[in-house]
Amino acid sequence: MSAASCLLTEDQFLCSICLDVFTDPVSTPCGHNFCKTCITKHWDINVPNQCPNCNKHFHTRPELQVNTFISEMAAQFRQSAQQKASRSSEQQVSKPGKIPCDVCTGTKLEALKSCLVCLVSYCETHLEPHLTTSGLKRHQLIDPVENLEGRMCMKHDKPLELFCKTDQTCICMLCTVLDHKTHDVVPLKESMKYEGKKAELRKTKAEIQQMIQKRRLKIQEIKHSLELSEEDADRETEDAVQVFTAVKESVERSQAELIETIKEKKRKTEKQAEGFITELEQEISEMKKRSTEVEQLSQSEDHLHLHQRFTSPTKDWKEVSVRLPSYKGTVRRAIDQLKETLSKLFSEAELKRVQQSAVDVTLDPDTAQPKLILSDEGKQVKHDDVWKHLPDNPERFDCCVNVLAKHSFSTGRCYYEVQVKGKTNWSLGVARESVNRKGKFTLSPQKRYWTITLRNQNEYYARAGPDVRLSLKSQPQKVGVFVDYEEGLVSFYDVDAAALIYSFTGCSFIEKLFPFFSPCLNDGGKNSAPLVISPVRH
């Protein structure tokens, strides 16, 4: 029997209804074999008493008996098929995300095709009847898909094979003779060509791919922002630790010095009091001796000797007292000194923080007023009385002795330092790209300038429109300029003193900003020193 089964093909043991190996096989009068349950259900649902294979009709439903011979052969074949399936490679087993075979029992193999007529997905083994059996060859096979029921007409339980262009919907064959009888109906394949759906789908796919790419770039941008944020956080944390460590050390040092000062005052007071007590005790001892002598002298009749020996104490202790030190004044002075120290520490930390945003700034000769002299490297500018014949391009200042930097910025932060040593007049800051560069004008935020100036050697102003007079403890020799574009902030620092000079806040920057420089007129040589863009040293 085993040898004989090896000569039979697989489709001889498969029920043409369930496409699986026979279970309780029965034979119809026309000679075709089916599973007993399959043929019974088929007759209950479809055309009764008709063979599904040859369409032969029987007047009465045949009485079906299990064919024991075929049943035994099918059982052996099923066992052989299971052994064959067990030897299949692991790559054939359905993996997550893949479509499994609907016919496999036990371990599900990966489906090779889905049948739109049977609404079943088949692995390579169970697909064989669709490739060899004439009746099944006419079924429409597609690449494996999920939800095959969704490809069936909900109303007539038939495959959706047609497309109604009138209603723009997929329909089955029965729909064409009922609900869509007068509509323009074409096969699905032709509808795709007719409507250009494939081209549209390709376009949509390309657009989706572009959107995916944009979102991937956005993810990279966000990740990069997170990296920058982490770097900023680490840097700020490190700076904060350094500042607060210095503050802690300064407070501890001030506390130790204050305590030592109080102790020293206390020691001096104690030493003075001890001196007074010793002197008083000595006088008391001396007075006791004298008291004894006085008692003896009082008994003497020698008046001369009495006058010679008796003397009164000369020191008046009423005016003598221990001077108590003023500890409150000491504490107050220590606190004031600590405040000044802490203020300087925080100022130094703030300057160090903004210096992290240092940029390389170079003067732009195309913007320089014709009486200005720029150094070859573009780092120095001063005024000269000689007018140079230069092209009057739109970028050049023609009246006010100003010059801008070459490079602008429209995002983030920037910082640069300018040496102003030896000058009696100057202006520094930033200007928007659209500022007026022709004729005379006033520096102010309303005119799109954010600057500070020195006038008459010692008068400092913030050109805030109106001007704000600045009171500085010392004259800056080097000025730091810091801009935070997003925050709308422009700050100026005395670099050597690590002190803030002035800040413009709440500024509205809607275009490019350029570093702005004005060495002012040389004033007969009194203001001939240049403005010098200096390298930033942290």
Side-chain angles (χ1 to χ4, degrees), residues 61-78:
R61 180 174 294 193
E63 184 178 352
L64 301 175
Q65 300 293 331
V66 176
N67 188 323
T68 57
F69 175 76
I70 297 178
S71 180
E72 291 177 359
M73 293 289 290
Q76 288 194 17
F77 186 83
R78 181 183 289 108

Side-chain angles (χ1 to χ4, degrees), residues 29 43 48-50 57-63:
W43 284 341
N49 308 334
Q50 184 179 9
H57 188 271
F58 311 109
H59 295 291
T60 59
R61 180 174 294 193
E63 184 178 352

Side-chain angles (χ1 to χ4, degrees), residues 348 350-363 378-380 414-421 428-429 477-483 491-498 515-517 531-538:
E348 290 175 349
E350 172 65 12
L351 180 60
K352 180 181 178 182
R353 184 184 69 83
V354 300
Q355 284 179 329
Q356 301 296 325
S357 303
V359 296
D360 184 24
V361 175
T362 304
L363 300 172
K379 298 295 184 180
Q380 300 185 26
C414 80
Y415 174 84
Y416 57 94
E417 294 178 350
V418 183
Q419 179 180 302
V420 296
K421 183 178 180 180
L428 291 174
Q477 302 298 300
K478 185 181 293 184
V479 176
V481 183
F482 172 72
V483 180
S491 296
F492 300 86
Y493 295 87
D494 181 339
V495 177
D496 297 326
F516 169 87
F517 306 84
L531 291 176
V532 182
I533 301 173
S534 306
V536 176
R537 294 182 175 85
H538 302 295

Side-chain angles (χ1 to χ4, degrees), residues 232-285:
D232 288 343
D234 292 341
R235 183 169 55 251
E236 292 294 334
T237 301
E238 182 181 354
D239 292 344
V241 170
Q242 291 179 356
V243 171
F244 281 93
T245 300
V247 168
K248 179 181 176 182
E249 292 174 351
S250 180
V251 171
E252 291 175 347
R253 184 167 55 252
S254 297
Q255 176 183 332
E257 291 174 355
L258 174 60
I259 293 174
E260 184 58 35
T261 300
I262 293 174
K263 286 182 178 179
E264 180 61 27
K265 286 190 175 186
K266 179 184 176 185
R267 284 194 293 267
K268 287 183 179 180
T269 302
E270 291 174 346
K271 185 176 181 181
Q272 183 187 39
E274 290 171 357
F276 288 155
I277 292 172
T278 300
E279 187 176 352
L280 286 169
E281 288 177 344
Q282 289 176 353
E283 288 192 3
I284 290 172
S285 178

Side-chain angles (χ1 to χ4, degrees), residues 397-439:
F397 293 94
D398 65 350
C399 185
C400 298
V401 287
N402 304 330
V403 61
L404 300 178
K406 284 185 177 181
H407 302 291
S408 64
F409 52 94
S410 56
T411 185
R413 303 169 180 174
C414 80
Y415 174 84
Y416 57 94
E417 294 178 350
V418 183
Q419 179 180 302
V420 296
K421 183 178 180 180
K423 296 193 66 60
T424 60
N425 295 277
W426 51 258
S427 294
L428 291 174
V430 293
R432 273 166 48 177
E433 184 178 27
S434 62
V435 292
N436 179 28
R437 310 184 189 195
K438 307 301 180 182

Side-chain angles (χ1 to χ4, degrees), residues 304-414:
L304 177 61
H305 180 67
L306 180 64
H307 283 289
Q308 289 177 341
R309 294 291 297 169
F310 182 75
T311 57
S312 301
T314 58
K315 188 166 185 177
D316 184 5
W317 285 94
K318 291 182 180 180
E319 303 298 328
V320 177
S321 64
V322 176
R323 182 176 297 177
L324 298 178
S326 175
Y327 294 113
K328 290 184 178 180
T330 302
V331 174
R332 189 182 304 109
R333 286 192 296 273
I335 292 176
D336 291 341
Q337 184 177 359
L338 178 60
K339 287 181 179 179
E340 185 176 347
T341 301
L342 294 181
S343 177
K344 185 176 181 180
L345 280 174
F346 286 123
S347 296
E348 290 175 349
E350 172 65 12
L351 180 60
K352 180 181 178 182
R353 184 184 69 83
V354 300
Q355 284 179 329
Q356 301 296 325
S357 303
V359 296
D360 184 24
V361 175
T362 304
L363 300 172
D364 184 2
D366 291 336
T367 65
Q369 198 262 1
K371 285 190 176 182
L372 293 180
I373 299 177
L374 276 60
S375 61
D376 293 339
E377 72 280 7
K379 298 295 184 180
Q380 300 185 26
V381 58
K382 63 181 180 179
H383 175 256
D384 187 36
D385 292 326
V386 179
W387 180 281
K388 295 185 290 296
H389 294 287
L390 300 172
D392 186 20
N393 49 285
E395 297 82 11
R396 189 180 307 282
F397 293 94
D398 65 350
C399 185
C400 298
V401 287
N402 304 330
V403 61
L404 300 178
K406 284 185 177 181
H407 302 291
S408 64
F409 52 94
S410 56
T411 185
R413 303 169 180 174
C414 80

